[in-house]
Amino acid sequence: MKRRSCFLALLLALPLCTPAWSQTDTLPNGLGNQIRTPEGLKAIIDRRDPRFVIVDVRSPAEYASGHIPTAINIPGGVTADVKAPPPKDKYIVVYCHGGMKAPLACEKLQADGYKHVFVWGGIVNWPYEKETSPR
């Protein structure tokens, strides 16, 4: 009976945890589906689609050690700390290390007026070459 109670408690608590795992996708016309995979995001990068801005929300040191090509660094998704934040009409693709911090950063970007944001996930899922920046 005790095991059953624990299982029921877990099932009841699970919906409370889902916002941290939620996938933010406010891109129009199914664009989120096109860039959901590493291959899809790489295609956007390779064709230099000017509508997209890739945002790394990790710390500056993590960003410098290796980031997705063309990505800019906005630690935690706080644009007030960035000298030249992206225009608010761009499609913002957000990633972090493992995909857990990106949804919260997306919420911050949306609160700052960005309408089109997408949580891509974590750089751990990026199988291609990474760029590095001098520290």
Side-chain angles (χ1 to χ4, degrees):
M1 185 70 170
K2 186 175 182 181
R3 181 186 278 179
R4 189 174 175 194
S5 297
C6 289
F7 179 73
L8 289 174
L10 178 64
L11 285 178
L12 291 173
L14 193 58
L16 300 175
C17 300
T18 54
W21 292 86
S22 65
Q23 175 73 23
T24 302
D25 180 0
T26 59
L27 301 183
N29 305 321
L31 286 172
N33 288 331
Q34 293 177 27
I35 62 171
R36 192 168 306 280
T37 64
E39 298 80 18
L41 184 58
K42 187 171 184 322
I44 293 290
I45 293 167
D46 288 347
R47 70 175 183 249
R48 293 184 163 94
D49 192 323
R51 299 175 297 171
F52 290 86
V53 176
I54 302 168
V55 175
D56 184 321
V57 297
R58 299 175 301 152
S59 72
E62 290 174 303
Y63 173 82
S65 68
H67 54 271
I68 292 175
T70 74
I72 63 170
N73 188 220
I74 302 179
V78 180
T79 57
D81 298 338
V82 178
K83 290 180 185 174
K88 294 193 176 173
D89 64 339
K90 297 291 184 181
Y91 300 153
I92 308 297
V93 179
V94 177
Y95 74 90
C96 58
H97 177 75
M100 296 297 295
K101 294 179 183 174
L104 180 59
C106 268
E107 288 178 15
K108 290 178 183 177
L109 288 164
Q110 286 176 309
D112 197 28
Y114 290 89
K115 293 183 173 99
H116 304 293
V117 295
F118 177 81
V119 173
W120 188 79
I123 195 165
V124 296
N125 298 319
W126 185 253
Y128 305 106
E129 191 171 332
K130 299 173 181 90
E131 290 180 344
T132 56
S133 302
R135 291 186 184 200

